[in-house]
Amino acid sequence: MAENRIIKYEDDKKVIRWWYNRHEDEKYIEVYESAKNFINNLILHCPDENFKMVRYYGFYSNLSLIHISE
């Protein structure tokens, strides 16, 4: 999640207001949720330690890594 999607953090209430565009109809949605719930949901997207992620594969892979034998 990009930091610019966080609209406001209310320290006295411990509430975070953030937004997203719903993919089905591209509707702008604002979400109000507790800071604890927000952080719990955000941590779910962090990969485990030493987890290797593949960014590009197949057609989009780096062609310099492919060795074509003749």
Side-chain angles (χ1 to χ4, degrees), residues 13-63:
K13 299 178 187 176
K14 305 288 191 241
V15 174
I16 295 178
R17 189 171 87 181
W18 60 280
W19 65 272
Y20 70 95
N21 284 330
R22 190 167 47 198
H23 293 293
E24 294 85 19
D25 54 4
E26 290 301 317
K27 185 176 179 182
Y28 177 86
I29 306 291
E30 283 192 11
V31 179
Y32 298 86
E33 64 182 340
S34 69
K36 184 178 179 180
N37 192 32
F38 175 79
I39 292 171
N40 284 335
N41 290 335
L42 193 64
I43 288 174
L44 291 174
H45 297 284
C46 295
D48 293 333
E49 187 176 355
N50 296 325
F51 182 78
K52 305 297 183 215
M53 297 180 69
V54 176
R55 184 169 182 169
Y56 298 113
Y57 62 94
F59 181 73
Y60 295 107
S61 68
N62 187 348
L63 295 178

